[in-house]
């Protein structure tokens, strides 16, 4: 060799070209240790407990309860009340939601339903004009849009039956945040700016979220004295303060002044309900999720039953074949949702049929692996023969094996935009989650029918999907998301990313998502899906639509090594925190 060792750099280049980089590495640097780890990003790790929510202050409130010896339910209730202060667009005591609890001591799984309900004066055609047409904004941005709030009743029930700490203790952080205020983040400031029209038309809302006639800006301090007062009343008097006492009086007065329907009697009659979760299995894991009036648990299990037939791991995450199969499965599930899901007190939901693996076997026979079926050609299936007899999510896990998944909502960002005067409480616009007219899409484009029509005392159908995955009978994954109709598919993809694709919870959150809800016939996708993949999907007949971000998951994975948590960076204010 003419060059010998006189030009080592040139020698290295030649060796790379001739023998390949790995051979050269072995020859010239046998002792160098390169990174052999696989994770693209690592989640937060802890040994004793974990809280993951959409705001760091709320996560810290929950963690403080764990550190003082409380259990996961104590932490979940503290987080829920704190989010009512620091996440005004979705955290709430003026809305409602669902909580899923795994109690380690008894091995029991409990679903708490504190979904809003329709007032006694509500009726099927309340949002239609004389011509039978939907009155614009009546079910979204008016006092008629407000359902009876359930959050306070639900959180109190959870704490009383499954928690260990006093209500005044778990509410202390929320009261402090409301009284002393907190700094408005760029993310919250942007949302206030976007929703200024709806918030700004109500003096009670404008007094809190505006300054000098404009929405609060990043760096301003949001102080909520009226809300602090309301929270103190609840902390000392319990839910009676909200449903029968001073707060109830103020909410009823707000309704009466603006021709709303909620009365003092409606508030007094409200009850949170304990239900049995829906259950399924997927590749040896047990799936536990929320039953109706949530549609989420039923359809997550239904879709997993169908997807279990496909080799997703071998096909690869977000490959064209995997995304095509997911899109077709989603269409079938959402078509069934439009027909069969509603409040089980008013409609017999065929839960067993919809979650039957035999029914899933039948449905996948209709899926063409090479071409999309037009949504217009899909009709709700017939699950009965298989019967056989802006929203936020947070997840909590403690060292005793208790886990809690909670999703609750005001519906749209800041709900109705209406603060009940003197309470500081933003009220929901959850009545839009009913089918205000059969076949007419709601604010999320979801179509419904008679099963979800408006009736007095009825709870509107929801997509909220707090979910727990068990491995060998013990909690393995706790997850959920906000996102309206996209909650179900976001939660589904989180489970697939962990179980099928071997991702940690951070990688699972960062992976681009897709969504298909039958009507409209669109496969929505986040940026990050390859152009080549999108071209193949178009060739298969998928109608592609680029989408803003979908979902903001809060996920905890539990193993013998401890807890791995991750707050979806689609909301930069969120935080997973443990100790």
């Amino acid at each position: 060799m003419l060059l010998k060792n006189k030009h080592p750099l040139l020698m290295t280049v030649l060796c790379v070209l001739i023998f390949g980089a790995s051979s050269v590495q072995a020859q010239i640097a046998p002792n160098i240790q390169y990174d052999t780890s696989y994770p693209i990003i690592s989640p937060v790790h802890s040994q004793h407990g974990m809280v993951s929510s959409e705001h760091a202050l709320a996560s810290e409130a929950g963690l403080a309860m764990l550190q003082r010896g409380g259990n996961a339910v104590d932490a979940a209730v503290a987080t829920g009340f704190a989010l009512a202060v620091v996440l005004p667009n979705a955290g709430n005591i003026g809305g409602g939601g669902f909580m899923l609890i795994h109690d380690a001591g008894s091995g029991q799984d409990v679903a708490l339903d504190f979904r809003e309900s329709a007032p006694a004066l509500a009726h099927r055609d309340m949002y239609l004009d004389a011509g039978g047409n939907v009155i614009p904004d009546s079910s979204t941005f008016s006092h008629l849009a407000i359902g009876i709030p359930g959050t306070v009743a639900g959180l109190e029930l959870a704490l009383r039956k499954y928690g260990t700490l006093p209500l005044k203790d778990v509410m202390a952080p929320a009261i402090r945040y409301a009284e002393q205020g907190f700094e408005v983040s760029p993310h919250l400031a942007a949302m206030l700016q976007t929703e200024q029209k709806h918030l700004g038309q109500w003096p009670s809302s404008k007094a809190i979220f505006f300054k000098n006639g404009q929405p609060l800006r990043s760096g301003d301090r949001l102080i909520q004295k009226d809300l602090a007062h309301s929270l103190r009343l609840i902390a000392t008097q319990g839910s009676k303060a909200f449903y029968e006492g001073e707060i109830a009086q103020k909410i009823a007065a707000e309704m009466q002044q603006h021709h709303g329907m909620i009365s003092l009697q409606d508030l007094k009659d409200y009850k949170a309900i304990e239900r049995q979760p829906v259950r399924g299995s997927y590749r040896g894991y047990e799936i536990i999720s929320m039953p109706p009036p949530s549609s989420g648990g039923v359809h997550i299990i239904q879709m997993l039953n169908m997807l279990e037939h496909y080799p997703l791991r071998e096909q690869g995450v977000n490959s064209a074949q995997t995304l095509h199969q997911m899109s077709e499965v989603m269409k079938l599930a959402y078509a069934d949702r439009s027909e069969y899901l509603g409040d089980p007190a008013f409609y017999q939901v065929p839960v067993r049929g919809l979650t039957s693996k035999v029914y899933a076997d039948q449905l996948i026979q209709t899926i063409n692996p090479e071409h999309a079926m037009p949504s217009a050609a899909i009709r709700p299936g017939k699950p009965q023969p298989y019967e056989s007899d802006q929203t936020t999510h947070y997840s909590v896990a403690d060292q005793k094996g208790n886990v809690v998944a909670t999703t609750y909502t005001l519906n749209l960002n800041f709900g109705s935009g209406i603060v009940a005067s003197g309470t500081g409480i933003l009220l929901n616009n959850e009545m839009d989650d009913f089918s205000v007219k059969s076949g007419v899409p709601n604010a999320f484009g979801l179509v419904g029918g008679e099963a979800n029509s408006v009736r007095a005392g009825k709870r509107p159908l929801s997509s909220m999907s707090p979910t727990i995955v068990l491995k060998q009978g013990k909690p393995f994954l706790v997850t959920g998301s906000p996102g309206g109709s996209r909650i179900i598919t976001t939660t589904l993809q989180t489970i697939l990313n962990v179980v099928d694709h071997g991702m940690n919870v951070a990688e699972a959150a960062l992976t681009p998502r897709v969504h298909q809800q039958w009507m409209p016939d669109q496969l929505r996708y986040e940026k990050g899906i390859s152009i080549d993949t999108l071209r193949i999907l178009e060739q298969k007949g998928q109608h592609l639509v680029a989408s803003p971000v979908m979902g903001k998951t809060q996920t905890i994975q539990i193993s013998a090594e401890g807890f791995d948590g991750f707050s979806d960076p689609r909301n930069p204010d969120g935080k997973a925190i443990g100790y």
Side-chain angles (χ1 to χ4, degrees), residues 118-119 122 126-127 139 144-147 429-434 436 454:
M126 62 185 286
Y127 298 111
S139 67
L144 290 177
I146 301 165
N429 55 357
E430 208 56 69
M431 294 293 285
D432 187 64
D433 267 2
F434 283 115
V436 298
V454 182

Side-chain angles (χ1 to χ4, degrees), residues 33 63 111 125 155 166 169-170 172 179 233 235 260 266 268 309 320 344 361 377 386 411-412 419 461 518:
Q33 297 297 314
L63 187 70
D125 298 329
L155 294 183
D169 291 355
V170 299
E179 183 73 44
L233 290 173
D266 287 323
K268 185 177 181 179
H309 288 263
D361 295 345
Y386 306 94
N411 196 25
L412 303 183
V419 168
L461 184 60
W518 179 53

